[in-house]
Amino acid sequence: MNQAIEIKENIYWIGVNDRRTHIFENYWPLPKGVAYNSYLIVDEKVVVVDTIERSKMDDYVDTIATLLAGRQVDYIIVNHMEPDHTGALKNLIHRYPNATIIGNAKTFPILKNFYDISHHLQEVKEGTTLPLGRHSLTFHMAPMLHWPETMVTFETTEGILFSGDIFGAFGTLDGGIFDDEVDLDYLEEEISRYYSNIVGKFGQPAQIALKKLAPLPVRMICATHGPIRRAHIADIIAKYDTWSKYETDKGVVIAFSSMYGNTERMADTIARALAEKGIKKIRVHDTSKTHPSYIINDIFRFRGLILGSCAYNAGIFPTMETLLSELEQIGVKNHLLAYFGEKSWSGGAIRRFDTFAANIKWEIVHPHHETWGTPKNDDRQACRDIARAMADKLDNLYP
Ligand code: FEO
């Protein structure tokens, strides 16, 4: 059995840690694991708020049964349909067949198609209230954060916002579950990496949701991943505001793909020239070594991006292609761009960078440069020119 933790009188965290999954949703690395948070409210009515991923559902259902000591679950709230929060749903309704599933109009078609569940459903709309006894819940739609059906649930007595994935984080909850019990510095990258990669595409919906939720008297935020916020609520809301406006710091990410070291030599020349111009926040990533989620996380932090790639089979190197297509898909905004390449026997990298630049529509600070084989003196000078143009732009923007 997992350990349930009372977070307010008769309201429990019943989540689980996942330290076994290496790759979240078969794509994102989990070096610090992940927590699937679920919550139980025991009142005149009994409510489960979001469930967990299926791998630990037997323990999870046992935890609920022990807490309830024979009582039944009346409602299961589905703030978000993604299977890391609905994996235990079928098991739960098998145990509690009279439970009513609460969702919105966009929840139920997904529920039907994923799990063939179409009975005991109750639809809520913006502002719908559900009295439980001493506690009462209201529902607020937050579409595209980060699926169309996403919504949040606000518990009005204690001021608890059950926010689904919003304000979530990678990383397990290692003992502490509240933000004032855990080492937030240790989790910092996993908090921003979660935002930039999972929610990052949806900056405008995030802005809409932040404005909509602002009037709520929130005293605790219970997301479906990461620590519960009670001491640093304003901090995480401010971070979301910054990130969803694509606001960045003065700094440059250099991401390169290099088979034989020539493109890397150019990247190092650019990095050195940036440093000589006084740019301190420089992050150099080899796309063959670093997962795109970390590179994208740094791109969300810093205004400048300089990309470099060797040619590969008359195109761009595959790991750079992955990064570019992800950035195009996310639609990251408000950056400065430059790029360079090494043409090998065919060329092709620059052609793909040109397409990327046209798609992403960022300001290009300097014309690209392409070398052939080992960078010569004039190639290195061209790299320094790119770096200086980027540094000058940043100096103007961040005086
Ligand atoms: Fe944590 Fe979008 O699921």
Side-chain angles (χ1 to χ4, degrees), residues 192-207:
S192 61
R193 194 167 64 95
Y194 185 87
Y195 175 85
S196 53
N197 286 272
I198 306 294
V199 187
K201 179 178 173 65
F202 305 103
Q204 192 181 14
Q207 280 291 309

Side-chain angles (χ1 to χ4, degrees), residues 49-50 77-81 86 102-104 107 139-140 145 149-154 162-165 222 224:
V49 184
D50 298 309
I77 293 170
V78 179
N79 282 317
H80 178 29
M81 259 304 305
T86 53
I102 304 265
N104 59 69
T107 312
F139 301 93
H140 304 274
L145 279 180
E149 86 300 353
T150 45
M151 64 181 194
V152 300
T153 300
F154 185 61
F162 296 101
S163 63
D165 278 351
C222 293
T224 44

Side-chain angles (χ1 to χ4, degrees), residues 71-365:
R71 288 190 65 184
Q72 297 296 300
V73 172
D74 296 291
Y75 299 108
I76 303 167
I77 293 170
V78 179
N79 282 317
H80 178 29
M81 259 304 305
E82 201 159 12
D84 53 331
H85 310 297
T86 53
L89 193 54
K90 272 195 129 168
N91 200 313
L92 200 56
I93 60 177
H94 181 74
R95 187 80 159 251
Y96 300 104
N98 294 321
T100 298
I101 298 172
I102 304 265
N104 59 69
K106 292 178 182 166
T107 312
F108 298 138
I110 309 176
L111 191 66
K112 166 73 178 162
N113 282 288
F114 270 62
Y115 301 112
D116 197 24
I117 295 173
S118 54
H119 298 292
H120 293 286
L121 309 180
Q122 183 173 326
E123 182 185 325
V124 294
K125 295 182 166 62
E126 179 69 35
T128 300
T129 297
L130 182 69
L132 306 177
R134 194 173 82 82
H135 304 275
S136 179
L137 304 176
T138 61
F139 301 93
H140 304 274
M141 304 303 118
M144 300 319 301
L145 279 180
H146 60 118
W147 276 26
E149 86 300 353
T150 45
M151 64 181 194
V152 300
T153 300
F154 185 61
E155 188 281 323
T156 57
T157 307
E158 303 288 358
I160 301 176
L161 182 67
F162 296 101
S163 63
D165 278 351
I166 309 168
F167 308 121
F170 292 129
T172 49
L173 298 174
D174 298 338
I177 63 165
F178 294 103
D179 56 2
D180 51 3
E181 292 181 334
V182 305
D183 182 355
L184 286 177
D185 291 340
Y186 172 76
L187 287 176
E188 185 179 357
E189 185 171 47
E190 293 304 77
I191 294 168
S192 61
R193 194 167 64 95
Y194 185 87
Y195 175 85
S196 53
N197 286 272
I198 306 294
V199 187
K201 179 178 173 65
F202 305 103
Q204 192 181 14
Q207 280 291 309
I208 293 168
L210 288 175
K211 286 183 177 63
K212 180 193 282 192
L213 299 177
L216 297 178
V218 175
R219 294 192 289 278
M220 187 180 284
I221 296 176
C222 293
T224 44
H225 306 283
I228 295 171
R229 300 280 175 165
R230 65 180 180 189
H232 304 288
I233 291 173
D235 176 64
I236 189 66
I237 290 174
K239 280 193 164 84
Y240 260 64
D241 189 40
T242 298
W243 294 333
S244 57
K245 288 177 180 162
Y246 304 97
E247 289 179 355
T248 43
D249 287 340
K250 182 179 185 178
V252 180
V253 176
I254 302 172
F256 71 86
S257 305
S258 185
M259 293 178 74
Y260 304 113
N262 292 319
T263 311
E264 182 171 12
R265 289 183 185 102
M266 296 169 81
D268 277 328
T269 301
I270 290 170
R272 179 61 199 156
L274 285 169
E276 286 172 353
K277 287 284 287 178
I279 304 296
K280 287 194 170 63
K281 293 178 178 173
I282 302 168
R283 305 285 186 268
V284 179
H285 290 294
D286 182 341
T287 62
S288 294
K289 179 187 166 196
T290 304
H291 189 273
S293 63
Y294 293 93
I295 305 175
I296 287 168
N297 192 35
D298 275 344
I299 291 169
F300 263 81
R301 291 182 198 177
F302 301 117
R303 188 67 167 266
L305 176 63
I306 301 179
L307 298 166
S309 177
C310 56
Y312 181 79
N313 284 347
I316 204 162
F317 197 70
T319 53
M320 179 59 74
E321 175 57 43
T322 301
L323 177 63
L324 298 185
S325 63
E326 264 207 67
L327 287 169
E328 287 169 338
Q329 207 181 82
I330 294 173
V332 181
K333 294 178 176 55
N334 201 27
H335 280 65
L336 303 172
L337 177 67
Y339 49 93
F340 60 97
E342 190 284 314
K343 67 181 179 183
S344 186
W345 51 266
S346 62
I350 293 296
R351 194 164 53 242
R352 178 64 179 98
F353 281 141
D354 287 342
T355 307
F356 171 75
N359 290 340
I360 205 86
K361 298 183 176 66
W362 297 345
E363 181 180 351
I364 297 174
V365 301

Side-chain angles (χ1 to χ4, degrees), residues 24-60:
F24 183 67
E25 294 172 355
N26 228 4
Y27 190 63
W28 289 277
L30 289 176
K32 295 178 181 174
V34 69
Y36 310 111
N37 297 334
S38 173
Y39 303 92
L40 182 71
I41 304 171
V42 182
D43 201 331
E44 291 170 22
K45 299 290 184 184
V46 172
V47 182
V48 173
V49 184
D50 298 309
T51 75
I52 62 164
E53 195 265 347
R54 58 181 290 117
S55 62
K56 295 195 174 181
M57 63 186 174
D58 289 341
D59 277 1
Y60 168 77

